[in-house]
Structure formats: structure tokens, C-alpha cells
Amino acid sequence: MKKKSTLSENSLDADPVKQFEKWYGERLKTEITYPDSVTLSTSTSDGHVSARTVLLKDYSDAGFLFFTNFNSKKGKQLSQNPRAAMLFYWPESGRQVRIEGTVEKVSVEESEAYFKTRPGESQIGAWASEQSAVIPDRQHLEKRVEFFNNKYAGLLVEKPGHWGGFRLVPEWIEFWQEGEFRLHDRIIYTRRENSWHIERLAP
């Protein structure tokens, strides 16, 4: 049996965003459904934690971008406590990436620019879905879709004021690679002022 390759501090890029770009780029080349999915964890100001899957829409040195309804559970929690964590788990390649940091809203202009690229049905959905609110039945949602379809018939759908982007600004990033006999490789990057400090964790 071929021995699994190990992850070396010397083999990784000194910049964790560039290292993420390498791994994520390999992920995007696969035929996996939703290769951009990521678990996002948020919490209330008193520590009640929630997790759910969102789609990563962009990333850069500035952070990792996703969009949502500001009135949703995650939107409200991020307003209370602007800190969050992301987990990318890629079992097919035996890898995962964990990111922790602060969260900030992106500009209205950036949210509007992305909103314009969404399919028309998704634009209507942003208006119709009262995300995370209790609704009486499926028909309630379908009636709202019909209402907004009629409202914007033949018109450009404007971005709802309650919808937009958040950017997770990383302070800590871990690259994890599966090893034999659970002796996994865990390399972490911690932001210290304007540079990244690299260390290894025990599996």
C-alpha cells in the first residue's frame, strides 16, 4: 500500500490565502456538487451557537465572502456578535480548512453588484423568503413568490434592503490533511499584526 503524503510546513505557502487558493482551486476542478459549500458557525452575544451550510462567493486577502438575509438567524447573530468560523470539509481529498475571525458587512454597492448576477428566480426568492421566520405552510411561500413575480414583471428586480454580503476577515486558519492511523497533519496560521505566524498542532 502506498503511504499517504504528509503535509510539511515548508511545503505550504507563507500566505494562507494563497495556500487556500491552491487547495480550493483543486476542489473546483472536481465534479462534486457544490464544491463552494462551507459550514458557517455563528453565535449570540451570550454564547448560543448555530451552524449551517452557505456558499462561498469570493475570497481575497480581505476575507471570505458570503451573502444572506440580514433578518435571518445568522444575520441577527452576526449583528449581535460579529465573530464567526468557517469549516471546509473535503473528505474526497482528505482535507479540511478551518477559518476563524471577525465578520463585517460589505458595501451596498458590492452587494448590489453580486445581486445583479443572480438568476431572476433567485432574485425573487430573496424578496419572497422571510428567512428563518416561522411560516404557516408552503403555500404561504408560494403566494409570496407569485406576488413578487407579478410586482417585478418586466422590470429589473432591485436588491432588498435586508439582503447583502458579509465578509469573514480571518485571524486564524488551519489546514488539515488526513494521515494514517489518525496521525493527521495540522498546520495553523495566526495573524500577528501584519504578518502570519505558522505552527503545527498535534492531531
Side-chain angles (χ1 to χ4, degrees):
M1 179 182 291
K2 184 179 179 181
K3 185 178 179 180
K4 290 184 177 180
S5 62
T6 57
L7 193 63
S8 166
E9 293 89 333
N10 297 325
S11 68
L12 295 176
D13 198 287
D15 183 336
V17 177
K18 291 182 179 178
Q19 182 59 43
F20 177 84
E21 182 177 24
K22 178 181 178 181
W23 277 17
Y24 189 58
E26 294 175 6
R27 173 77 173 176
L28 293 177
K29 292 177 182 178
T30 68
E31 296 182 356
I32 296 169
T33 304
Y34 299 118
D36 52 349
S37 64
V38 55
T39 299
L40 173 73
S41 296
T42 59
S43 71
T44 59
S45 56
D46 55 356
H48 290 271
V49 181
S50 298
R52 78 289 289 161
T53 300
V54 299
L55 300 180
L56 179 69
K57 291 304 178 182
D58 196 13
Y59 64 92
S60 66
D61 291 336
F64 296 77
L65 179 66
F66 62 96
F67 291 87
T68 190
N69 185 317
F70 296 144
N71 296 327
S72 66
K73 187 172 186 177
K74 60 182 169 296
K76 290 178 179 178
Q77 288 186 343
L78 288 171
S79 295
Q80 294 179 40
N81 179 15
R83 299 192 63 82
M86 284 182 165
L87 169 63
F88 297 87
Y89 178 46
W90 303 325
E92 297 82 5
S93 59
R95 291 172 172 174
Q96 66 179 13
V97 182
R98 295 169 58 201
I99 305 171
E100 298 176 5
T102 58
V103 176
E104 58 189 25
K105 282 185 178 180
V106 304
S107 68
V108 172
E109 291 76 16
E110 187 170 356
S111 292
E112 287 179 339
Y114 171 70
F115 188 79
K116 291 176 182 177
T117 70
R118 303 184 89 203
E121 295 84 355
S122 296
Q123 292 178 340
I124 291 296
W127 281 101
S129 175
E130 303 156 290
Q131 195 175 97
S132 300
V134 176
I135 59 176
D137 49 35
R138 175 76 187 189
Q139 188 177 20
H140 172 84
L141 177 61
E142 292 173 349
K143 284 183 176 180
R144 286 182 60 83
V145 170
E146 182 181 8
F147 172 83
F148 286 106
N149 270 325
N150 291 333
K151 179 178 178 178
Y152 287 104
L155 302 174
L156 290 175
V157 182
E158 59 185 345
K159 182 190 76 64
H162 59 258
W163 189 96
F166 283 105
R167 182 174 282 111
L168 173 57
V169 182
E171 297 175 348
W172 182 94
I173 301 179
E174 176 186 351
F175 292 88
W176 177 100
Q177 183 167 289
E178 183 179 14
E180 294 181 319
F181 310 112
R182 299 189 180 277
L183 298 179
H184 313 305
D185 289 306
R186 300 177 63 190
I187 308 297
I188 62 168
Y189 294 71
T190 306
R191 187 186 292 277
R192 296 183 179 176
E193 296 182 352
N194 296 321
S195 63
W196 289 99
H197 182 68
I198 303 176
E199 295 174 299
R200 176 180 288 266
L201 298 182

